[in-house]
Amino acid sequence: HDRAHVGDELATVDDRLEQHRRSLEEPRAGWKTWVADDEGPVGFAVTGPSEDAELAAVDHGVSLALRVGTLLLAGGAPTEDVEAAIFAVGTAVGLGTFEVDITYGSIVISVAPDNARPGLTDMRVVRGRSTHYARVAAAHQLVLDLAEGRIPPSDVERRLSDIEHLRRRRAACALEKHA
């Protein structure tokens, strides 16, 4: 490399780092989202205040669906059941048109754009997997209650938190001390 050329690259990198640092210091109103057309991403856009509430509601719905899916997948539920549960939760909380992709270790939900609201994609990585029938059963019951309208979406967070804190029951014979 020509030394002058390397210096120009560093100046460019330094300029980019400075620009990034300044952007972090500026107050940011709204969400930064990728804007794309048929040919791919074209850049970032900051949504306006009227769109924030709608995007926040979609983000919250996706987060709830991902928490339910993560509980089920980590607890040993089959991926088909996890996918069905995520679709039931997403539909119950009003996500509209969305897709779910589940692998052994991750769940991805993509919500299609709707009028002025951009699309949204979120992912969860499921790190620990072990059979936990109590959590799986409780999560399935939560999904049924939500889908059938027996609980409002506002109660889902509290129920999810309770389910996440369930401990495994030990059989009485496992607790006895053998002499």
Side-chain angles (χ1 to χ4, degrees):
H1 283 275
D2 181 273
R3 190 166 180 86
H5 181 68
V6 171
D8 290 342
E9 285 178 9
L10 291 177
T12 304
V13 170
D14 288 340
D15 290 343
R16 287 182 183 171
L17 288 172
E18 179 62 24
Q19 181 182 16
H20 177 69
R21 187 189 58 74
R22 274 187 272 130
S23 74
L24 293 176
E25 292 173 357
E26 296 171 6
R28 290 183 262 177
W31 298 60
K32 277 194 172 181
T33 56
W34 275 106
V35 176
D37 60 16
D38 292 339
E39 296 179 16
V42 293
F44 278 112
V46 178
T47 60
S50 63
E51 297 169 326
D52 280 352
E54 186 179 359
L55 191 57
V58 170
D59 185 52
H60 185 257
V62 168
S63 180
L64 289 177
L66 284 168
R67 281 180 67 192
V68 169
T70 301
L71 269 173
L72 291 169
L73 196 59
T79 56
E80 298 84 17
D81 293 352
V82 175
E83 183 177 42
I86 290 172
F87 274 113
V89 170
T91 301
V93 299
L95 288 185
T97 304
F98 65 101
E99 292 296 328
V100 177
D101 183 38
I102 301 173
T103 64
Y104 180 79
S106 66
I107 303 170
V108 178
I109 298 177
S110 293
V111 181
D114 183 27
N115 297 328
R117 179 189 47 76
L120 183 129
T121 298
D122 202 352
M123 175 182 149
R124 290 291 190 287
V125 175
V126 181
R127 294 204 187 323
R129 291 180 64 133
S130 63
T131 305
H132 197 310
Y133 295 119
R135 282 186 183 164
V136 170
H140 273 295
Q141 188 60 53
L142 170 64
V143 171
L144 289 173
D145 290 347
L146 181 62
E148 295 174 1
R150 290 192 292 261
I151 63 166
S154 58
D155 288 353
V156 173
E157 295 243 15
R158 180 190 53 77
R159 293 256 314 255
L160 274 173
S161 183
D162 292 345
I163 294 168
E164 288 168 342
H165 290 94
L166 283 176
R167 295 187 180 262
R168 282 191 173 81
R169 289 186 170 183
R170 303 288 183 210
C173 62
L175 298 176
E176 293 177 16
K177 184 177 181 181
H178 294 288

